[in-house]
Amino acid sequence: MKIALIKETKIPEDNRVALSPKQVADLNKRFPSHEIVVQASDIRGFSDVEYLAEGVKVVDGVADCDILFGIKEAKIESLIPNKHYFFFGHIAKMQEYNRPLLQAFIQKKITFCDYEYLVDDRGLRVCAFGWWAGVVGAYYTLRGYGLKHNLYELPKPDRRFTLTQLLDSLKAVQLPAVKVLVTGAGRVSQGAQYVLDNIGAVKMTEEDYLATETVTKLSYCVADVNRLVKRKDGAPFSWDHFTHNATAYESDFLRFARQTDVLLCAHFWAQDAPVYLDTDDLRRPDMRIRMIGDVTCDIMGSIKSTVRPATHADPYYDYNPVTEKDEPAFSSDKNITVMAVDTCPNALALDTSEYFGKMLTEHVFEPLLKGEHSAVIDRSMILKEGQLTDRFAYLKDFAEGK
C-alpha cells in the first residue's frame, strides 16, 4: 500500500498536515512493506526539507498512491479517479457550496472518508481539533480587544507559531481587567479555559460573576447551554428534554450580556435551538458586550452579530447594531467587534498537526497498515467507489441536485 499526504489546495490556505515528519518516519519504519510519501508543498507548516531530513520521500505527483490524506477539501480538478481520500469534506450536512464536490466524488468513483465522522462506538469523535480551536480563539479574541482599545499589540501568528509562543505573548502584556464569558463545556470551551487559566485569569462562579459589576483583574465565568436557556413553561431545564425539544426553550442570555465585556462563544448550537443574542438584543443599551470571539463560527446562528466568517489574514470585523451590517474592524466604539475565524487551529499548524497525527495514527493509520478491519473508518466512509454508503444514503437527492 502506498499512501500520500497531499498538498492543500483550498483557499484560504491551510498550513496543517495529517502527520508530522517524525510520525511519517516512524510509521514507515514500523510498517516497511508499505510506504507513506509527502506531496511537495510550499504552504505546509512543516517544510519539505523537514520531511526529507526524516528520510521521507517528497514527491510532486501522487497518482501512483492508493490512499490520499489531506486536511481541508481538495479542489475538484485535483481529484484523481478511483482513489481513496481522507479529509474534512463538509458535505454530510448537505452544505450547498460543496454539492459539486460530492458530485465529483461520484463521477470519479472515489472512496471518501470524512474526519468529522471518525467516531467510536458511542458516537464520540476520536480525531478532532476542537480543543485547539478554543486555544486560538481565546488568543485571537484577547488580541482583538487590545487592538480595539489601543491597549497592547500581540503578534499575529505565522505558520511556525506555537502554543508556547502564544502563552508567552499573552503573559508579556498587561491584560485588561475585564469580564469574559466562555460559553459551552466541551473541548472548545476547555481549550479557551486552558489559555485563561495559564495567563492568570480569575475564574468566577456564576453567582459572583452576575453580581459583580467590575473586576480588578482579567476574570472569566463558564456558562454551559443549560445556563443560557430556560423552558418557556417555567419547568426546570432537562438535558434530555432540551435535546429533543429545543423549541420549548428560550434565551436567558441577557442576564450574562449585561455583565460581560468579552464573549467567547464555544458552545454547540443547533438550528432549532434558541437564539441567544438576536438583532434587537444587540441594540439594547444595557448589552455591555463589545468584543465577541465566535470560535464556533455559526453564521447568523445563536449570536446574530456573526454575519460572515473571517480569515487568519483578517480575523476581525465590526458589527453595527443599528444597520445590522459588518463594517471595518475597530471603526467605531459603538460597534461590536467580532472575531469569527472558522479555522482557528490553523494558527498553530505545527502543534495541531502533531496532535491530530497522533490520533490518526491510532485510529486510522495503524488499522490500515496492519490490514485490520476498523469500525471507526467504516463509520466515516461517505462513499465507496463513488457509491453512497448506507449510513450516508440520505445524501442521494442532494447529490442529484434535488
Side-chain angles (χ1 to χ4, degrees), residues 120-138:
D120 61 19
D121 293 338
R122 298 169 295 168
L124 300 177
R125 291 177 65 181
V126 296
C127 299
F129 286 104
W131 187 86
W132 294 94
V135 167
V136 175

Side-chain angles (χ1 to χ4, degrees), residues 253-323:
F253 197 89
L254 278 175
R255 62 197 184 108
F256 288 101
R258 295 185 183 103
Q259 293 292 338
T260 296
D261 300 298
V262 177
L263 172 62
L264 267 171
C265 298
H267 57 268
F268 172 79
W269 184 77
Q271 289 289 337
D272 59 346
V275 171
Y276 300 144
L277 286 176
D278 63 23
T279 53
D280 289 336
D281 295 328
L282 293 165
R283 275 193 292 268
R284 292 174 62 102
D286 59 346
M287 212 293 294
R288 179 167 153 180
I289 302 166
R290 282 297 174 269
M291 182 77 212
I292 297 178
D294 195 342
V295 186
T296 51
C297 199
D298 292 315
I299 306 304
M300 291 300 290
S302 62
I303 310 293
K304 293 302 182 185
S305 53
T306 306
V307 295
R308 63 173 175 85
T311 65
H312 292 277
D314 192 12
Y316 313 105
Y317 57 84
D318 275 7
Y319 171 82
N320 185 323
V322 177
T323 65

